[in-house]
Amino acid sequence: MTRKTFQPLRMVLLLVLALAWHPLAASAQACAIVPRTTLALYDGAREGEVRNTRIYRFAELVLNYLGQVVVYHDISRDTPPEVDPAQVALVLSWFDEPVSDNAGFGNWLAQGDAFCGGGPKIVSFDNLEFWSGLGPALSSRAMGAMGIETDGVIYAVGVSATVSAKDESLLDLEADYLVQPGDYRGVAALPGARPLLRMASQGQEIALAVIGPAGGYVHASALIEPGTQGRAAWIIDPFGFFEGVLADDGVPRPDPTTLQGLRTFFVTVSSVGWLDLMPAQVFGETQDLASEVLAEGLIEAFADLPVTVAILAGDLSPDLGGPAAERGRQAALRALAAPNVEAAVQGFSDIRDWSFFAAYDPTREAAMLTAPETADDQGALVSSAMQTLRDAFAETGASTFSRTPGAPRKYAATPFDLGQEVGGAIAQVNALSGGARPVGLYAWSGNARPFEAALEAAERTGVGSMGGGGGVMDAARPSLTGLWPLSAQVGQHRQIHDALGGDALYTDYWTASLYGFHGFHETLRRTEEPRRLRPFQLSFAARTMIHFETRRAVETYLDLARTSPVVPIRASAHAAAVRGFLSARIAAEGPGRWRIRDRGALQTLRLDRAGARALDMAASEGVMGARRKGDSLYVALDPGADAPLVVLADSDDPAGMVLGSAAPALVSSRPVVESWDRSTCSVALELSGFAPGDVVLLAEPHAEYGIAITGVNEDRHRAVAADAAGILTIPVPTAPGGLRGLSVKGGC
Amino acid sequence: MPDVMRNVVVVSLALCAAGVAGVVALRPHPAVRLEAELSRLEPEDALRELRAAEGRMGFHDNLELLYGRLSLADGDLDRARLSFQRLQAQASPSEEVLETLAGIEATAGDLAAAAVFLRQAQEAFPSEERRLRLGGWYQALRQLDAERDLLLAEDPTLLTPGEIDRLGLLLIRDGRITDYEALFTTLADSTVEGHLSYKRRLLEFLVEAARPAEAVAAAARWTQGPQGAEALEASVRALIGRGAIDAAILVARDGFRLAPGDSHAVLPVFARSGHGGTARILQGEWLATRTVLSEAEWGTLSYLAESTGDMRGLQAALTSNGRQAGAPALGQALMQFVRYRGAGALVPWRGLLSEDVFKAAPLVGAAWAHWRGDRAATYRHLVAASNQPLSEWDQLIWMSLLDGLRGSPFHRALLAGTVDHPGLRQRLRDSVIPARPARAALSASADKPG
């Protein structure tokens, strides 16, 4: 397959290189850009691919929150990293075994002039030998950055070892640190470094966690508690640790969880179970399809909320979907006709195992589909249970799952064709709605681990893609490690992840207690406080409609979204915001002044530990307002501004803004602000949305304004006054498919 | 007559009353009727009916269970909790009720309350899956004492490896070293999966506790048990790893006595850990106890000779046992002499050389043929050797033997491509193309104009 040109990661790198890598401009211009890249080192020979690494699985989420884009480098290839050194804020290794070849990386790290600000920070998790084997000068520099030295001795640690020093503020986050007997390398914190954890064993002090002047080190025993059921938990506080290492709290961080001061909300419906039949309560009654219940009972009942519905093109073909296909097609048409629905595609043949098709061999697939069940399974209890389960789900038509539950895809009537799977499926669903509801999102099916060519094929269609990742953080699984990063690097491409996991995760894929999905509210709570880690994504399969428990849970969460302070958006808007997160560049233009470029659809910056700072509306450009949440300040950017300037002022005003003029500024808005025009005395907005919602503005206390809304009172401005805190709350009746103009005049 | 009439009336009345009473008695209870109706309704309708009926009639167990399940399905956790608590109070402990109460609390976000019910379920209906789940919950709750007690209450040999590791760490944390020792003693003395690692951990503990004699005794005990050879080797490795060399030597000597056929395995452990001298001494002691050597024992001797360069063990074994050794063992043993002392060192062992030995170790055959000046045989054995895996060292020996064929058609044939071994092919190429410095431009002096 030819690799065409649209490769975002490479484009970003080339763009950055083109703008900042000119020899003369390199130091001055490139170093003005805030480095947002974490170079993650992994051993491809041991770990295979990026999505298997512990950095991806555990650390990237935290680094994303701190504004970092993680770019992976396979150290086993022994080539220099393909990344602009000036953009690298941090180099992170997490090896569990020594890595022999590091010359290519060593040469890259040795090019001192290419780096900004004294070079990247260096963090080593677990095995240190990669760094000690870099050669004396580089090794010494790396160790110095981490704030440690080693004596080259391996110490035997037994049951008598004790914790001699522990920084309680950064340790025992989700699991308690426990002394683990074993062999430990002799490591000590250098003077001036911040020791976080130290152990004493038979008179020998061993440093286990240190923050150095330009990096840090954490021993494996202080990182992650693996858990007896594979539920890992952080021992060290990764936020605090990386914040301490990066030391860039003053820099704004792109944040795709928030829009206009509020958490975003979106719904994704997967096509799984689209043709499933809902059991009739009385014999002889017509059985509804899950998709029919979805279209009639849910989408139309919640017409005030956007829903992104993924359709499997193969399901709608009678040759594949069987007798139910036509009804499934009608359900799809009905769903797509609803104005609150965004069309999405989940492929053609329902790929369950993408890796199988990375090097596709039709004969291997045919052999798998025709292989008889193994003799050992015959008559076994589990086998019978599986048969019952299979029958209950009643895969219809040409589904391979009715015969081979482990098949790599559902429809295998024709050989796998990537074009048909991606572009073809999108074209089919576009044709279904006659172009009236063009597909806005491609949703990765099955194990959602697309190979590079599949991502490339999706990008060529121009339709955003999303899937995989997500995660859960509920009462029984309360760890950050249950959440996934925003995206996954797959070769030169990026796979945008779901924000949160859905019904399948809470019901063990509909095999455990179905009421479990009612516990989703815990994940919502824990990903909002103390940090907003994730948007509110309600994700479920069409199949969930046939079960009372899961259907009621979905209805409950849709009701919750109606009353929660969120901005309802389409799922594709979230995917676009994550892409903006990846591409955004932030340039310092002086103390407390930041210019933002290439942010795409990302509309929010977040400043942490910003209790004493506020957005200076008068000095800023292309911003709409700000809102505090805890000690963070969320700055809303004007969607029409190409390169907004964020300027901060010293102020602990609870509003988080210094207005500087009589014109109000945005605190929050449930309708989506499509355009924003703020002059000295007034502000005019164009808004879109799915239902009436409040626009909350900040003005001077008791200031009086005239408000006009198109379609309501047109140009006849209605008088309103801000309250004692300066808050103006304006209900705006938005509806799908149109814009509402809001004019607020008369501030001076 | 009147009496008869009266009797008839009385009996008739009694029968009527009985009939009425029967009809009344057989009329289904409203709750039973409701239950029958509910079975025909969709869950949401059934739930609505139950809510309407609540307070108007008492719910028997089945209705209460149905009400609880439907409330739970609906997400009404408070009502579901009430139903299942009533069921719990009315009947003997039920696995489903306790599990559901735990599930309700977990779904509601109160994992601590959920753990209380799950613990009750585990005590009444123990299962490994539930114990693992409960342990995970205690871990999430940071209730380490409860987690420890849960694990301590179980037979250690039934715990999973992850649970054993975790229990060990929790006991260390609490300073319960006696329990720690008891845990790993039980496991080390067992044959559970991973018992060798538990043996290692117990020995490490005993060494740390300055009780090497007990470590030696334990190792001797395991050596006589199932998988004794593996246990012996693991014990020696563990003791050396903790610097208890004297104890390791004692364990090895015990092994020579208790497991004579397998104890040779400890010798490479000493050699690999940098105790070559000790390995040589022990080799002598061990060899003195052996009259016939197995293939594995020959392998050990060859390994020790190769790794230490000390041929004394091999010499002694060849002298006493050489005639009984198989061709592969002999080939491997004699190869050490070729490696360290050259082809001439084969002379004293010429009586042991045979075509079978050469077939097993073609380089030995090539060396012997070379020593005797038999170029055709040298060529033949070199070709055979090139079809076997060859270490860098052996490739160098191969090339040196090739030198003896220079000027002959055999040499040209080998250069012409008879050999498929990639390493040898490269060396053959290099042998005819003069080697240059890899970075000639850097090693040469700079060009000067004029």
Side-chain angles (χ1 to χ4, degrees), chain B residues 52 178 193 216 299 344 382 385 407:
Chain B
T178 308
E193 189 183 353
V216 173
L382 282 179

Side-chain angles (χ1 to χ4, degrees), chain B residues 333-355:
Chain B
L334 292 169
M335 190 60 211
Q336 310 314 321
F337 288 92
V338 175
R339 282 175 177 149
Y340 278 98
R341 298 182 182 174
L346 294 174
V347 173
W349 312 113
R350 62 190 178 284
L352 299 175
L353 298 174
S354 67
E355 276 304 313

